[in-house]
Each structure stands twice: as structure tokens, then as C-alpha cells.
Amino acid sequence: GAGVSQSPSNKVTEKGKDVELRCDPISGHTALYWYRQRLGQGLEFLIYFQGNSAPDKSGLPSDRFSAERTGESVSTLTIQRTQQEDSAVYLCASSLGTDPEAFFGQGTRLTVV
Amino acid sequence: DQQVKQNSPSLSVQEGRISILNCDYTNSMFDYFLWYKKYPAEGPTFLISISSIKDKNEDGRFTVFLNKSAKHLSLHIVPSQPGDSAVYFCAASAWSGGSNYKLTFGKGTLLTVNP
């Protein structure tokens, strides 16, 4: 498909386990974002990748959260030792680095039980 | 420090009337503004945008107004339709060196259009 793809679409995990979320951006998009939306809340910025620049990690809520991106391709968001407050929809978006419009994936709904 | 603020968490209007969603920003470096719409269980989708060199942009039923001196923008939907019921997010970006348009989002406004 031509859009941003996220997997899995749903993930239920036990408290304390690690999870890995995947994002496949639109081909050619140099910028990639991770956001999360907790129930009843707005979009919370987590991390931003732009080309070969150092990522902007200013939104990561704790050191249990990390993200990687290889070149201009797939990104993975890893949450270690998950807590119940990590339950949220995790959204990935990508954009051309020269265009502000970002395209979002469908999100991964993470539930920590 | 919330740089993009949507102070109304929700708005309810009657079908056929105008919906006005507001957004304020604090960063004077922002030079491009976007509105996204989000339905439940879906990712946000781009709706309309405006550059800081303009004060109005129109696309069908949707118009965005920008008041740079007040650091305020608004989205007008006329006429409102029940299918417009969704969460609307305001976003802003700044040229931060090279090809870099990092987006900052507001917390969203839930619009409900009643038949």
C-alpha cells in the first residue's frame, strides 16, 4: 500500500513485559514521527526523525521508551517493562522533509494488563 | 510548555450551522499551520493548511483563518454535517534548519454535529 503502515494493530501485554511497535513510512518520506494518544487525551509527541539528523527525543516520557530508525525506512518504538499507564494508541506519521503535511498510520492500540 | 493550544475540548453544533474551532500558539517561529481530523479507531487525516504569508485559505466547506498578530487561527466549517463529527487537531510547524518541518499538535477539539 501507499500509506503509512503500523503493526501490530492491537497489542495486549502483561505489565513488566517489553513491547516493540513497528512503523513503515511512505516511501521517500524522510521525516517520521511517533505520537501517542491516551484515552480522552490529545496527541502527545514522543520522537521525531528527520533524515540523518539526530532524532528529537524530547517527548519520550521515560528511559523505558526508545525508538530507532534505519535510514529513511522502518522505525521501531520499544517500550521496556511496560506499565499500565503506557496503555494508549501509538501513532506513527511520516512526511517529506520539505513539506509540513504528515500522513498518519492507523495506530497500534497497546493495552497493558 | 504547550506551544499549540486548543482551549475548547468539545463543541456541539446543529447540522447546517457554522462550526468554528479555535487554536492559539505561542511560538512566533511557527510559519505553517495545519488542521487534522480524527475519527475513532483511525489515524488523523490532513484537512487543510495555511502558510503564515496568508491570512485565509478556503477548500470547499472548510476555511482556515490566521491572525498572526494574535497568534490565533480558526477553522470554519459551513455548513456543518453530521459526518463532520470527529476530533479536530490543530498543528503548527517551524523551519528549524534545513528540510525540517517538525509538527507540534494541540490536544484536539471534539466536534459533534447534531442532525
Side-chain angles (χ1 to χ4, degrees):
Chain A
V4 177
S5 178
Q6 291 187 245
S7 60
S9 54
N10 281 285
K11 175 74 176 178
V12 179
T13 190
E14 291 181 353
K15 178 181 174 181
K17 295 285 181 73
D18 297 353
V19 295
E20 192 172 276
L21 312 180
R22 177 186 171 106
C23 173
D24 286 86
I26 294 172
S27 177
H29 280 193
T30 59
L32 187 145
Y33 305 79
W34 284 98
Y35 292 87
R36 74 175 175 183
Q37 186 177 27
R38 290 192 271 198
L39 190 63
Q41 303 296 312
L43 289 179
E44 179 184 2
F45 167 76
L46 297 177
I47 190 169
Y48 169 66
F49 296 91
Q50 169 53 31
N52 294 320
S53 302
D56 179 348
K57 303 180 181 180
S58 60
L60 294 178
S62 77
D63 58 9
R64 295 187 295 105
F65 287 72
S66 62
E68 292 185 352
R69 186 183 187 195
T70 304
E72 296 178 359
S73 62
V74 172
S75 175
T76 54
L77 176 69
T78 302
I79 309 173
Q80 296 178 310
R81 305 180 303 281
T82 52
Q83 304 294 314
Q84 287 186 327
E85 64 261 28
D86 299 334
S87 296
V89 175
Y90 288 81
L91 290 158
C92 175
S94 71
S95 70
L96 289 169
T98 54
D99 188 334
E101 183 185 337
F103 296 83
F104 281 83
Q106 296 283 78
T108 294
R109 180 175 296 278
L110 175 67
T111 304
V112 182
V113 297
Chain B
D1 177 28
Q2 198 176 343
Q3 298 186 63
V4 178
K5 300 177 182 179
Q6 294 178 256
N7 292 319
S8 296
S10 63
L11 174 68
S12 183
V13 299
Q14 285 298 118
E15 182 178 6
R17 298 291 186 100
I18 184 171
S19 295
I20 300 177
L21 298 111
N22 293 303
C23 178
D24 297 290
Y25 62 96
T26 58
N27 189 340
S28 58
M29 298 300 291
F30 286 147
D31 56 10
Y32 203 87
F33 304 89
L34 307 89
W35 285 94
Y36 282 78
K37 180 169 71 173
K38 185 181 185 300
Y39 293 118
E42 295 183 10
T45 55
F46 170 74
L47 188 59
I48 192 169
S49 63
I50 188 166
S51 165
S52 61
I53 63 173
K54 296 184 176 181
D55 54 19
K56 177 182 174 181
N57 188 27
E58 191 172 352
D59 183 2
R61 296 185 297 113
F62 303 91
T63 302
V64 57
F65 295 92
L66 176 62
N67 182 335
K68 289 187 291 294
S69 61
K71 293 190 177 67
H72 177 83
L73 64 156
S74 60
L75 174 68
H76 293 210
I77 307 173
V78 182
S80 301
Q81 300 173 353
D84 296 329
S85 297
V87 176
Y88 289 78
F89 291 99
C90 171
S93 69
W95 184 267
S96 54
S99 303
N100 194 340
Y101 276 94
K102 175 186 167 183
L103 283 178
T104 302
F105 282 84
K107 292 194 177 294
T109 297
L110 172 63
L111 173 66
T112 303
V113 180
N114 301 302

